[in-house]
Amino acid sequence: MGRAVKVFVVAGEPSGDRLGAALMGGLAELWPQVRFHGVGGALMEAAGLTSLFPMQELSVMGITEVLPRYPALRRRMVQTAEAVLAGSPDVLITIDSPDFCLRVAERVRRRARIRTVHYVAPSVWAWRPGRAARMAPHVEQVLALLPFEPPYMEAAGMRCDFVGHPVVSERQADAVEIASFRNAHDLGDAPLLLVLPGSRRSELNRLAPIFGAALRDLSARRPDLRLVLPVAPGLEAAARTLTADWPPTLLLERPAPQAKAAAFGAADAALAASGTVSLELAAAGTPMVVAYDMSWISWQVMSRMALIDTVTLVNLVDGSRAVPEFLGPACRPGPIADALHGVLGAPDAQAPALERTMAALGRDGARPGVRAARAVLEGLNLAGPG
């Protein structure tokens, strides 16, 4: 029997809650004497955490949303740090949400030498490389989702373990579920294009007109093409309005995880906004075109600060630039339609890059939650079984 290990874990948004729950499950599997305290959502609570306060209070994005909430957020930050100090855990694990989590870590490390692990490396390889050096004084170990990230963190003096991306553990639809999805929506054997203009209202507002024009162009060339758009919660009315002038499109409103997985598996190709959705498509084996637009000012700032020539994670992980990408001024209907037509005409061309991406992200190894747990235990000089 090993000694009891106290873990204080902090997540501030749904994606962090999923990572946290998987990590907690891995720790419990490898070290049954683990005890959890901290802040998390429903998934982490189901894994055994009693949250210090509702995680939803921290799930705020954007300057205009954060500023009015800053006093309350700061109070929660202080409360969290004080709870860490009072509990004297063996390790503090902060998950993503760097504006909140790293402030907690910094405040704790000013007063105690509690080991601190941050889960999800900041994208210093893309922009603002100085963030790694600013983390180093109060973070000893980083758990990275992408295989090329450890050297950036290690150069700043932190231990960094690549633990795999959670997308590799997500269940994919099987042939029966895909056939059932097509039958349920009367799709038959028609070619199917999945349309993913983002999960935020601002993205939908900006991209829907561009995507719609590209889809009208494409549908004129491929009249047999069917379109399906999974709609993020809260965007149902906006999606109906913004797609009114599109070619006929099946809107999947608030799709259950099984329905979303079936749509990804059934699609012959996808048009997607940039983001982790490219990895979800890769996991499903769905070839894609990525397009994203932003304000002129945002583009000027980002294009000058960027350290990379692509933002599509499949391209970055694989290094092949297999996925066509249209960003900023290049995000225009004609070229997007041309690229989609090409992908539909050669649907297997991206398959090797998608396969290599999933392998590089850890698909054939232990579950990411278990790998993350093992890395945490190793950092504490403890060895979980296996």
Side-chain angles (χ1 to χ4, degrees):
M1 291 285 291
R3 68 175 178 86
V5 172
K6 294 192 295 183
V7 175
F8 198 105
V9 58
V10 182
E13 56 188 333
S15 60
D17 187 40
R18 289 192 293 273
L19 289 172
L23 171 60
M24 290 170 64
L27 284 167
E29 179 180 326
L30 297 178
W31 201 268
Q33 295 76 31
V34 68
R35 301 293 179 266
F36 298 109
H37 302 278
V39 179
L43 296 177
M44 289 169 66
E45 290 179 332
L49 179 76
T50 299
S51 188
L52 189 62
F53 53 82
M55 185 194 73
Q56 290 78 1
E57 294 185 21
L58 306 181
S59 300
V60 184
M61 293 187 63
I63 293 174
T64 56
E65 289 89 353
V66 169
L67 284 178
R69 298 275 301 279
Y70 178 76
L73 289 169
R74 189 179 187 283
R75 284 194 296 273
R76 288 305 196 190
M77 184 272 291
V78 172
Q79 178 187 5
T80 304
E82 292 299 320
V84 176
L85 293 164
S88 297
D90 294 281
V91 60
L92 164 64
I93 304 174
T94 58
I95 305 176
D96 211 1
S97 301
D99 289 336
F100 182 86
C101 285
L102 295 180
R103 283 178 170 83
V104 170
E106 183 177 7
R107 189 175 183 90
V108 167
R109 290 302 294 270
R110 286 194 200 128
R111 294 166 55 188
R113 295 300 297 177
I114 295 170
R115 182 173 182 80
T116 302
V117 178
H118 188 66
Y119 196 173
V120 183
S123 52
V124 297
W125 39 268
W127 68 306
R128 290 172 58 196
R131 286 175 290 174
R134 289 193 291 273
M135 284 174 61
H138 44 273
V139 173
E140 285 147 311
Q141 183 179 7
V142 178
L143 308 178
L145 304 185
L146 303 175
F148 54 78
E149 292 178 318
Y152 294 93
M153 301 293 105
E154 291 163 353
M158 294 170 283
R159 169 176 172 164
C160 187
D161 299 85
F162 166 61
V163 298
H165 196 286
V167 72
V168 302
S169 295
E170 294 177 0
R171 184 182 175 278
Q172 303 301 314
D174 60 27
V176 172
E177 291 167 320
I178 290 171
S180 177
F181 176 83
R182 280 185 166 271
N183 289 336
H185 297 289
D186 195 26
L187 297 171
D189 295 324
L192 181 64
L193 181 73
L194 192 63
V195 188
L196 303 160
S199 58
R200 300 186 183 101
R201 185 177 301 273
S202 59
E203 292 173 327
L204 183 60
N205 287 341
R206 184 172 290 276
L207 293 177
I210 300 169
F211 280 21
L215 295 171
R216 286 192 294 273
D217 183 339
L218 181 64
S219 292
R221 305 185 220 180
R222 299 290 303 262
D224 58 338
L225 187 67
R226 303 292 298 273
L227 308 176
V228 59
L229 190 162
V231 182
L235 298 183
E236 294 87 355
R240 291 185 216 114
T241 300
L242 290 167
T243 62
D245 63 347
W246 287 20
T249 302
L250 169 63
L251 299 182
L252 296 180
E253 298 185 359
R254 295 178 178 266
Q258 299 93 326
K260 180 181 175 184
F264 274 58
D268 295 280
L271 170 59
S274 64
T276 56
V277 70
S278 72
L279 299 183
E280 296 179 56
L281 291 166
T286 306
M288 70 201 82
V289 171
V290 168
Y292 199 82
D293 197 15
M294 61 197 75
S295 70
W296 183 87
I297 293 176
S298 295
W299 172 255
Q300 295 303 314
V301 172
M302 294 297 294
S303 60
R304 284 167 170 74
M305 294 179 67
L307 304 175
I308 50 178
D309 64 351
T310 177
V311 300
T312 300
L313 287 170
V314 169
N315 288 342
L316 287 164
V317 172
D318 184 58
S320 64
R321 305 302 186 263
V323 175
E325 182 183 81
F326 301 91
L327 307 177
C331 184
R332 295 296 175 262
I336 293 171
D338 291 341
L340 287 168
H341 188 62
V343 170
L344 287 165
D348 296 329
Q350 290 182 23
L354 306 187
E355 281 290 318
R356 290 192 300 264
T357 297
M358 288 299 103
L361 292 176
R363 180 187 57 194
D364 301 321
R367 301 189 312 277
V370 172
R371 293 176 64 170
R374 185 170 292 121
V376 170
L377 293 171
E378 288 175 355
L380 291 169
N381 296 314
L382 301 172

